Amino acid sequence: MSSERTAEQFSPKHSTQVIPAVSAPPKSNPSQISDLPDEVVLNVFSYLHPIYLVKCTLVCKRWNQITKDPSLWPRLDLGLKNIKFPHIFSVLNLGVKYLRLAQSKIVSAAKNGAAIIDYSAYLSTWRPLRIQYLDLSMSSIPVSCLNELLQHCCTIKKLSLESLEVNEQTFSCLKKAQDLDTLNLCLCQGVSPSGVIHLKALTKLESLNIAWALRDRMGIIALIDSLSHSLKRLNLSGCRDSLLDPGN
C-alpha cells in the first residue's frame, strides 16, 4: 500500500516542481583575421606568392594598403610573360628592387608602339621608385617605352638590355642612373657613336658588355673616349674588325 502511494506521489502527473531549463554556455566567437593588427597581417602576407598577394589587393581597402608595403616586394620575376607597359610602373611602385622581365613581351599602352602617356606627373604622386636591378634581356619592348621606363629608374645599379633595340635617347636616359655599375648592351641594335658618348656621365660604371653591338670604327673611338676611370671589365667581342689598324 505504501509502495503504491509512494509511486503515485513521485509520478510526473502529481509533480508540481518546475525544473528550470539549463541554458547552453555562450559560444565564444572565433578570432577573425580582420581583428588582427596590421603588423600581424603583414607577416602572414610575407609568406604568400606574389600571385596571391595581387589577389589580396582586391579583398578590401585595408588589405590593399597592407600589400603595398615595400617589404613584400623585394624581387619579382615576370620573365616569359605578356605585360602591358603601364603595369610595369604599377609593379615598380610597390617598391620592387629586383625585377626580371627577360624574354617578356611588353605591349605599349598606345598605338604603333608610342608611349604617349605622360607618366611623369602620375609618378610624382607615388613613392620614389626603389628599383636597383632590372633585367630586360631578349624581351620585346618598343624603344619608346624602354626610354620612358629608363628615365624613371634613377636608382638602378645593374641593367641588362641584351638584344634590345636602342637609340641615342636610350643612352641619354641612362645619364640619370648615377649609381649604375653594371650595364649589358650585348647584341643591342641601334648603338651609335652619338649614343655611347652619354656613357661618360656614368662615373660609377665598373662593368660594360657591348659585345656585337658596335660594328664601326667611329663607334669604338667614341666609346673609348667615353669610358669612366672606374671601369674594370669591358667586353668588346665581335668588334675585332673595328679594332684593327686600317693600315695593317
Side-chain angles (χ1 to χ4, degrees), residues 32-38 41-42 45 52-68:
Q32 303 292 328
I33 192 170
S34 58
D35 299 331
L36 299 177
D38 289 354
V41 178
L42 179 62
F45 284 176
Y52 299 106
L53 274 178
V54 172
K55 293 182 179 181
C56 288
T57 64
L58 306 175
V59 174
C60 61
K61 291 183 178 179
R62 182 191 177 209
W63 282 25
N64 184 277
Q65 290 299 318
I66 296 176
T67 55
K68 291 180 180 179

Side-chain angles (χ1 to χ4, degrees), residues 46-155:
S46 67
Y47 292 94
L48 297 180
H49 189 277
I51 293 178
Y52 299 106
L53 274 178
V54 172
K55 293 182 179 181
C56 288
T57 64
L58 306 175
V59 174
C60 61
K61 291 183 178 179
R62 182 191 177 209
W63 282 25
N64 184 277
Q65 290 299 318
I66 296 176
T67 55
K68 291 180 180 179
D69 192 286
S71 64
L72 296 175
W73 305 95
R75 57 189 298 133
L76 191 59
D77 187 350
L78 296 176
L80 298 169
K81 306 291 186 184
N82 292 332
I83 307 170
K84 292 182 179 180
F85 180 61
H87 292 174
I88 296 179
F89 284 98
S90 299
V91 168
L92 292 177
N93 185 50
L94 294 171
V96 175
K97 289 185 177 181
Y98 178 97
L99 179 59
R100 181 177 180 270
L101 295 167
Q103 301 184 58
S104 292
K105 183 178 181 181
I106 301 169
V107 183
S108 172
K111 296 181 179 180
N112 301 324
I116 61 174
I117 300 177
D118 182 11
Y119 288 96
S120 300
Y122 186 50
L123 286 170
S124 64
T125 62
W126 292 3
R127 64 169 66 95
L129 300 184
R130 305 171 69 229
I131 184 69
Q132 295 183 5
Y133 307 91
L134 179 60
D135 184 3
L136 286 162
S137 301
M138 296 179 284
S139 62
S140 173
I141 178 173
V143 66
S144 57
C145 293
L146 173 64
N147 296 341
E148 184 74 27
L149 175 62
L150 292 179
Q151 70 175 342
H152 295 292
C153 297
C154 301
T155 58

Side-chain angles (χ1 to χ4, degrees), residues 166-233:
V166 299
N167 56 23
E168 183 178 347
Q169 185 183 355
T170 306
F171 288 91
S172 180
C173 293
L174 287 176
K175 291 192 299 184
K176 297 182 179 181
Q178 291 298 305
D179 292 327
L180 187 66
D181 59 47
T182 303
L183 178 59
N184 181 13
L185 297 172
C186 178
L187 293 170
C188 280
Q189 302 293 323
V191 179
S192 63
S194 59
V196 297
I197 290 176
H198 295 292
L199 295 178
K200 187 180 297 185
L202 303 178
T203 57
K204 296 183 180 181
L205 191 64
E206 296 182 358
S207 177
L208 174 62
N209 183 355
I210 200 166
W212 305 99
L214 281 174
R215 300 300 179 89
D216 60 83
R217 187 174 180 83
M218 293 303 297
I220 296 295
I221 295 175
L223 175 65
I224 294 174
D225 293 339
S226 305
L227 294 179
S228 170
H229 294 293
S230 62
L231 194 69
K232 298 177 181 180
R233 293 174 293 276

Side-chain angles (χ1 to χ4, degrees), residues 1-10:
M1 184 74 177
S2 60
S3 61
E4 293 179 358
R5 187 178 302 170
T6 304
E8 292 178 356
Q9 183 180 357
F10 290 98

